[in-house]
Amino acid sequence: MKLRYLALRIDRFNDRYYSDEKGFDYNFSSNCRFIANYLSKAIRKYKIENNIGIRMLAVRLTPDENHIKIWECDGILEVFLHFTKENMEKLLLVKNRQERFDAYLELYERAYRYAREQGFEVGQDTLLALHREFRENGYRNEWLWKKKLFREHDLYVFFKCAFTTTDFTLSIEVLNAKKNVVKLKEVLFRTYPDELCYDKRFRNMIIKEKRIIITDFLDHPFFSISIDKLKEGVLSIDDYGHDLLHKYDDEIKQIEW
């Protein structure tokens, strides 16, 4: 079995220990999710086999002592880390983003060490190398989704994704064909920082009748963009009734810090 997923969240049986605020545990894990997403995608490239049959390493924060559970049917290794209410309060007071993100990574690193101490090898050395890479890249989880050269229009169109601690965005960047002049740069789509909010929304790109059409996982149009307007440096978008930018505003406000 190969490790494919990582996650960090509060133990669901102790969520009220850390806060009486409704949804606190989900909001906390959402703030950390961009790191889990980055590590999950990155570790798959190495195809690291493990002899304990797990495909997910789940780090859980708990007031109890460190311990481990293995869910063989689901292929999950759960590493429970002792983390007090005072530890959580101290973490939430950290407003510097680099320091906060380092604190999240250090929780993963504690879990890697503890798993190794208990005899579980799940690619810890590779994961630590990915942590260094992530830090050196400025704690950014960004990637190119699609690109398209329209040579006849002197356009090079790029669609880029950015997964942060508080949101996920899909942006468009339009350059000339030589890529030395930026004609347009805009956010097209913004959601809560959770793959469930965006993963099925945009899957393919179709060029039809002078429009770039972005389709969802069922090949239904999600939104489309006028190519003629892009030549003028203007974004003209048909959202087909979807709220592309503000649907999750209230939820995002709850996790901003």
Side-chain angles (χ1 to χ4, degrees):
M1 189 77 76
K2 301 178 181 69
L3 182 65
R4 294 181 56 81
Y5 303 97
L6 290 96
L8 168 64
R9 68 177 306 161
I10 294 167
D11 174 25
R12 64 185 181 276
F13 296 114
N14 289 292
D15 56 333
R16 291 292 181 177
Y17 165 77
Y18 294 103
S19 174
D20 290 328
E21 180 184 333
K22 183 179 180 181
F24 175 80
D25 58 332
Y26 181 66
N27 292 341
F28 176 82
S29 64
S30 297
N31 279 144
C32 309
R33 199 172 184 93
F34 78 111
I35 297 176
N37 177 271
Y38 178 93
L39 295 174
S40 297
K41 291 183 298 185
I43 196 65
R44 292 170 199 166
K45 299 174 185 177
Y46 293 90
K47 300 179 180 179
I48 298 173
E49 297 279 356
N50 63 79
N51 59 5
I52 51 177
I54 67 134
R55 59 191 181 91
M56 181 175 187
L57 174 61
V59 182
R60 308 295 191 218
L61 304 184
T62 175
D64 302 328
E65 293 304 309
N66 292 352
H67 61 283
I68 284 177
K69 288 183 180 178
I70 299 179
W71 301 90
E72 294 183 0
C73 293
D74 298 318
I76 300 173
L77 177 69
E78 283 191 307
V79 180
F80 293 82
L81 295 180
H82 176 64
F83 199 74
T84 67
K85 186 175 183 178
E86 291 71 28
N87 293 146
M88 181 63 75
E89 290 170 350
K90 184 178 179 180
L91 174 59
L92 297 179
L93 286 174
V94 176
K95 299 304 180 185
N96 177 281
R97 294 209 160 203
Q98 178 174 317
E99 292 177 9
R100 176 80 75 94
F101 301 157
D102 263 330
Y104 295 152
L105 289 172
E106 286 166 7
L107 289 170
Y108 277 108
E109 289 162 8
R110 276 184 57 194
Y112 304 158
R113 288 194 298 271
Y114 183 68
R116 176 167 279 170
E117 288 168 4
Q118 301 304 306
F120 298 101
E121 290 293 332
V122 292
Q124 284 95 327
D125 293 339
T126 303
L127 287 165
L128 290 173
L130 292 175
H131 284 211
R132 289 192 294 272
E133 199 176 272
F134 187 60
R135 287 182 170 108
E136 291 168 2
N137 195 39
Y139 306 86
R140 293 194 300 271
N141 182 3
E142 300 173 354
W143 64 95
L144 176 67
W145 177 60
K146 298 280 187 184
K147 63 181 179 179
K148 176 67 177 178
L149 174 63
F150 298 91
R151 199 175 298 279
E152 68 278 19
H153 300 304
D154 190 30
L155 292 177
Y156 213 145
V157 180
F158 297 84
F159 293 95
K160 298 180 178 181
C161 299
F163 198 153
T164 78
T165 187
T166 53
D167 67 5
F168 167 88
T169 57
L170 173 69
S171 300
I172 185 172
E173 187 170 349
V174 182
L175 291 78
N176 64 339
K178 292 182 178 180
K179 298 190 289 184
N180 57 10
V181 177
V182 178
K183 298 188 174 187
L184 176 73
K185 191 173 183 180
E186 296 280 353
V187 173
L188 298 169
F189 177 51
R190 183 178 188 236
T191 78
Y192 194 79
D194 189 326
E195 295 89 339
L196 294 176
C197 296
Y198 73 81
D199 186 53
K200 294 183 179 181
R201 305 304 294 275
F202 57 96
R203 287 291 179 86
N204 296 298
M205 179 175 67
I206 300 169
I207 311 302
K208 185 177 181 181
E209 297 176 355
K210 296 185 178 181
R211 299 193 72 84
I212 301 172
I213 303 173
I214 306 302
T215 61
D216 63 17
F217 77 113
L218 294 174
D219 282 333
H220 296 153
F222 183 41
F223 63 84
S224 68
I225 299 167
S226 167
I227 297 173
D228 286 339
K229 289 295 184 180
L230 289 183
K231 290 189 293 183
E232 302 170 14
V234 175
L235 180 64
S236 177
I237 188 167
D238 185 342
D239 60 16
Y240 302 107
H242 299 111
D243 185 351
L244 300 177
L245 295 174
H246 303 292
K247 180 177 179 180
Y248 294 96
D249 281 357
D250 291 340
E251 290 85 352
I252 290 171
K253 284 179 183 177
Q254 292 180 24
I255 62 171
E256 289 177 336
W257 49 275

